[in-house]
Short mmCIF file of all heavy atoms in Angstrom, two decimals:
data_model
loop_
_atom_site.label_atom_id
_atom_site.label_comp_id
_atom_site.label_asym_id
_atom_site.label_seq_id
_atom_site.Cartn_x
_atom_site.Cartn_y
_atom_site.Cartn_z
N ALA A 1610 -0.20 3.34 20.20
CA ALA A 1610 -1.20 2.51 20.82
C ALA A 1610 -1.06 1.06 20.35
O ALA A 1610 -1.63 0.10 20.98
CB ALA A 1610 -2.60 3.01 20.54
N LEU A 1611 -0.37 0.79 19.21
CA LEU A 1611 -0.18 -0.58 18.69
C LEU A 1611 0.97 -1.17 19.50
O LEU A 1611 2.14 -0.70 19.33
CB LEU A 1611 0.11 -0.55 17.25
CG LEU A 1611 -1.08 -0.21 16.28
CD1 LEU A 1611 -0.61 0.01 14.87
CD2 LEU A 1611 -2.07 -1.40 16.32
N LYS A 1612 0.71 -2.19 20.30
CA LYS A 1612 1.72 -2.72 21.23
C LYS A 1612 1.87 -4.17 21.11
O LYS A 1612 1.01 -4.86 20.57
CB LYS A 1612 1.37 -2.27 22.67
CG LYS A 1612 1.37 -0.77 22.85
CD LYS A 1612 1.07 -0.41 24.34
CE LYS A 1612 1.16 1.09 24.55
NZ LYS A 1612 0.92 1.47 25.99
N ALA A 1613 3.02 -4.68 21.65
CA ALA A 1613 3.19 -6.09 21.83
C ALA A 1613 2.62 -6.53 23.18
O ALA A 1613 2.60 -5.73 24.10
CB ALA A 1613 4.68 -6.43 21.73
N PRO A 1614 2.10 -7.76 23.27
CA PRO A 1614 1.66 -8.19 24.58
C PRO A 1614 2.77 -8.19 25.60
O PRO A 1614 3.93 -8.17 25.21
CB PRO A 1614 1.12 -9.63 24.25
CG PRO A 1614 0.92 -9.70 22.76
CD PRO A 1614 1.95 -8.75 22.21
N VAL A 1615 2.41 -8.34 26.83
CA VAL A 1615 3.39 -8.44 27.90
C VAL A 1615 4.33 -9.62 27.65
O VAL A 1615 3.85 -10.75 27.33
CB VAL A 1615 2.72 -8.54 29.28
CG1 VAL A 1615 3.73 -8.73 30.37
CG2 VAL A 1615 1.90 -7.31 29.56
N GLY A 1616 5.64 -9.46 27.77
CA GLY A 1616 6.60 -10.49 27.54
C GLY A 1616 7.08 -10.61 26.10
O GLY A 1616 7.83 -11.48 25.78
N TYR A 1617 6.58 -9.62 25.28
CA TYR A 1617 6.97 -9.60 23.87
C TYR A 1617 7.49 -8.17 23.49
O TYR A 1617 7.22 -7.25 24.24
CB TYR A 1617 5.82 -10.01 22.94
CG TYR A 1617 5.39 -11.41 23.07
CD1 TYR A 1617 4.63 -11.89 24.15
CD2 TYR A 1617 5.65 -12.34 22.02
CE1 TYR A 1617 4.21 -13.22 24.22
CE2 TYR A 1617 5.25 -13.66 22.08
CZ TYR A 1617 4.54 -14.09 23.20
OH TYR A 1617 4.16 -15.40 23.24
N LYS A 1618 8.10 -8.10 22.35
CA LYS A 1618 8.47 -6.81 21.82
C LYS A 1618 8.07 -6.67 20.37
O LYS A 1618 7.97 -7.73 19.65
CB LYS A 1618 10.00 -6.65 21.84
CG LYS A 1618 10.56 -6.39 23.28
CD LYS A 1618 10.16 -5.06 23.85
CE LYS A 1618 10.88 -4.83 25.19
NZ LYS A 1618 10.42 -5.73 26.25
N VAL A 1619 7.79 -5.48 19.92
CA VAL A 1619 7.57 -5.18 18.49
C VAL A 1619 8.95 -5.01 17.89
O VAL A 1619 9.74 -4.19 18.33
CB VAL A 1619 6.74 -3.89 18.29
CG1 VAL A 1619 6.55 -3.65 16.78
CG2 VAL A 1619 5.38 -3.99 19.01
N VAL A 1620 9.23 -5.76 16.80
CA VAL A 1620 10.49 -5.65 16.06
C VAL A 1620 10.13 -5.12 14.66
O VAL A 1620 9.31 -5.73 13.96
CB VAL A 1620 11.26 -6.95 15.97
CG1 VAL A 1620 12.52 -6.83 15.18
CG2 VAL A 1620 11.55 -7.54 17.39
N VAL A 1621 10.75 -4.05 14.27
CA VAL A 1621 10.51 -3.44 13.01
C VAL A 1621 11.83 -3.30 12.22
O VAL A 1621 12.87 -2.91 12.72
CB VAL A 1621 9.92 -1.98 13.16
CG1 VAL A 1621 9.76 -1.32 11.79
CG2 VAL A 1621 8.62 -2.08 13.93
N SER A 1622 11.78 -3.79 10.94
CA SER A 1622 12.95 -3.69 10.06
C SER A 1622 12.54 -3.05 8.74
O SER A 1622 11.59 -3.49 8.13
CB SER A 1622 13.51 -5.06 9.84
OG SER A 1622 14.75 -5.01 9.18
N ASP A 1623 13.31 -2.04 8.36
CA ASP A 1623 12.95 -1.24 7.20
C ASP A 1623 14.06 -1.25 6.19
O ASP A 1623 15.27 -0.99 6.55
CB ASP A 1623 12.66 0.17 7.65
CG ASP A 1623 12.35 1.11 6.52
OD1 ASP A 1623 11.45 0.73 5.67
OD2 ASP A 1623 12.97 2.17 6.42
N LEU A 1624 13.83 -1.49 4.94
CA LEU A 1624 14.83 -1.39 3.89
C LEU A 1624 15.16 0.04 3.70
O LEU A 1624 14.34 0.86 3.39
CB LEU A 1624 14.28 -1.99 2.54
CG LEU A 1624 14.37 -3.57 2.47
CD1 LEU A 1624 13.68 -4.00 1.18
CD2 LEU A 1624 15.77 -4.08 2.53
N SER A 1625 16.47 0.41 3.77
CA SER A 1625 16.94 1.77 3.69
C SER A 1625 16.95 2.23 2.26
O SER A 1625 17.58 1.59 1.40
CB SER A 1625 18.28 1.97 4.31
OG SER A 1625 18.28 1.51 5.66
N GLN A 1626 16.29 3.34 1.89
CA GLN A 1626 16.34 4.00 0.63
C GLN A 1626 16.21 3.02 -0.56
O GLN A 1626 16.82 3.19 -1.58
CB GLN A 1626 17.67 4.78 0.47
CG GLN A 1626 18.01 5.62 1.63
CD GLN A 1626 19.39 5.34 2.19
OE1 GLN A 1626 19.83 4.16 2.14
NE2 GLN A 1626 20.06 6.26 2.83
N ILE A 1627 15.29 2.05 -0.41
CA ILE A 1627 15.27 0.97 -1.40
C ILE A 1627 15.01 1.45 -2.78
O ILE A 1627 15.59 1.00 -3.78
CB ILE A 1627 14.32 -0.15 -0.98
CG1 ILE A 1627 14.29 -1.29 -2.00
CG2 ILE A 1627 12.94 0.42 -0.73
CD1 ILE A 1627 15.62 -2.01 -2.20
N GLU A 1628 14.06 2.44 -2.96
CA GLU A 1628 13.74 2.90 -4.29
C GLU A 1628 14.95 3.65 -4.90
O GLU A 1628 15.23 3.47 -6.08
CB GLU A 1628 12.53 3.69 -4.28
CG GLU A 1628 11.26 2.92 -4.06
CD GLU A 1628 9.95 3.72 -4.24
OE1 GLU A 1628 9.89 4.49 -5.24
OE2 GLU A 1628 9.02 3.59 -3.42
N ALA A 1629 15.59 4.50 -4.13
CA ALA A 1629 16.75 5.26 -4.67
C ALA A 1629 17.84 4.28 -5.07
O ALA A 1629 18.46 4.42 -6.09
CB ALA A 1629 17.25 6.20 -3.59
N ARG A 1630 18.09 3.23 -4.26
CA ARG A 1630 19.09 2.26 -4.59
C ARG A 1630 18.69 1.49 -5.85
O ARG A 1630 19.54 1.22 -6.69
CB ARG A 1630 19.25 1.29 -3.40
CG ARG A 1630 19.84 1.91 -2.10
CD ARG A 1630 19.69 1.01 -0.92
NE ARG A 1630 20.24 1.65 0.33
CZ ARG A 1630 21.41 1.41 0.81
NH1 ARG A 1630 22.25 0.57 0.24
NH2 ARG A 1630 21.80 2.03 1.92
N MET A 1631 17.40 1.16 -5.89
CA MET A 1631 16.94 0.35 -7.05
C MET A 1631 17.10 1.16 -8.41
O MET A 1631 17.53 0.66 -9.42
CB MET A 1631 15.49 -0.03 -6.89
CG MET A 1631 14.92 -0.99 -7.93
SD MET A 1631 15.69 -2.65 -7.69
CE MET A 1631 14.92 -3.22 -6.24
#
Side-chain angles (χ1 to χ4, degrees):
L1611 288 169
K1612 297 183 174 181
V1615 176
Y1617 291 76
K1618 289 290 187 295
V1619 180
V1620 178
V1621 176
S1622 189
D1623 178 51
L1624 281 174
S1625 304
Q1626 312 124 330
I1627 180 60
E1628 288 188 44
R1630 292 167 183 262
M1631 190 69 72

